[in-house]
Amino acid sequence: MKLGTAIAEIMKREGIEILCGYPVNHLIEHAANADIRPVMVRQERIGIHMADAISRVTSGQTIGAFCMQHGPGAENAMGGVAQCYGESVPVLVLPMGYARRIANIEPNFNSSQAMRAFAKSAEPINIAAEVCNIFRRAFTKLKNGRGGPVIVEIPSDMWNEEVPEPLNYTPVLRTRYGADPVHVREAAALLIAARRPVIYAGQGVHYARAWPQLKRLAERLAIPVTTSLGGKSSFPETHPLSLGSGGLAVPRAVPKFLAEADVIFGIGCSFTETNFGIAMPKGKTIIHSTLDPAYLNKDVEAKIGLVGDAGLVLDDLLNEINKSIKTDRDATAVAGEIAASHKDWLAKWMPKLTSSDAPLNPYRVLWDLQHTVDIENTIITHDAGSPRDQLSPFWKAVEPLSYIGWGKTTQLGYGLGLAMGAKLARPDKLCINVWGDAAIGFTGMDFETAVRERIPIMSILLNNFSMAIELKVMPISTEKYRSTDISGDYAAMARAFGGYGERVTRPEDIIPAIQRGIARTKEGIPVLLEFITSKETEVSRPGT
């Protein structure tokens, strides 16, 4: 069989049902012929973002895939690949490449070389007979260990090459590994003896689908839980032991309890130092459970390292703890302390969350959104900057994988592709992205993709006509040249593309507009709700 047919068949056997792409890449037609749905985007980065979300909302059980043309198409995709690398997301990236005879001749762009620095692996197909071995290596990397993008480059002169039949390919295994039992016992003893422990849960809990074990551990020892943005929704944020999630903006309880902790247990996290994550206080005893030993002692000093799958680690920890702690500890006192902190913090923010001002306060928009949607059946994601910081502290995620959190490399426009990918993977859910007028300038054309490809997301645009930056960082440019003054009617743009668009300017219209938007998504129509907001600059930073 031809190479493209063989690749499509391998993808099919590995459970891939959707191939996001940008032409020309001949794999698109081969995949469609194999009943893999092609989804064509307006720009390469969005296609990778969609594949990214497919992997995330399925805990990597379904691998997102993206293909693009050689040369400029592969060059345009680099930002999306780097984002997957920074966020440890398993995505199969299938660029076309230059013909083999000129693939290594400057200035031709060679994806398997250029992307290797920010990919889990990168390999070209140079011999058709090796295609099964190449994809066996690729999918083994994708399905095991810490996630990351995997590149398989297909030279443009390979498509007519023959692959020997029958195709010798069996879906690759998934395997897990657990921590050293000695270290598990040490960690269990440390947690049992701790006076003020805190659990910090990362997205490794999602990939391990270890949500029940995390909840059992917290309840058994009455330990408060906070999460990274990537780990948000791994622990129900309505639970009495939930501190909320941490990023650049956090509920007050998060820094308070971390500062007072004697032991911090990081599970399924990297503890990567970033402006968009929780800064761990110095001088704490840290137990670090991570899938990748390269993360141990990278940014924080760990007293105990538990290298392994978050589910296996939590299972072993619980088994050890249950040998001496037979019933759940009384959580009344610590839950009361958490509740009091949340109450005081929310009281400070309630004037913004319920503001009747016009232009609209963005906090009011997101507060009404949270209290209008069926939150258990919603998947939401933010964009970079203000939308992230205005959404993440206040949105209470209650179901696993209902919030796609991110924040290490913070690409503007990321959220739109994530929402579309989530909807493709979970068509039963209301999928929402929240962004601003800066982000829509990067990827707004791909709202047309949602319409054309029949992906009925609901897009919440917070438009303050200023890219959210003018007040603090560009005062001269703003006042002298009006460099950040942005005009535009994005609701009209959505209607022009064939979707539903509505502009909202009055606070009393927020909830009715959201209700109309939800109704349109149920009719299969993508929705963009544009809220004209104030230039709000205050966020809930640590200590506020």
Side-chain angles (χ1 to χ4, degrees), residues 479-499:
E479 295 168 16
K480 188 174 181 180
Y481 295 107
R482 302 181 67 84
S483 295
T484 59
D485 251 359
I486 298 174
S487 60
D489 186 337
Y490 300 108
M493 178 198 78
R495 294 193 296 271
F497 285 149

Side-chain angles (χ1 to χ4, degrees), residues 444-465:
M445 278 297 296
D446 268 286
F447 187 82
E448 186 274 339
T449 297
V451 175
R452 173 172 36 82
E453 293 284 357
R454 305 170 302 283
I455 309 172
I457 62 167
M458 186 161 77
S459 188
I460 303 295
L461 177 67
L462 306 175
N463 187 1
N464 63 10
F465 298 100

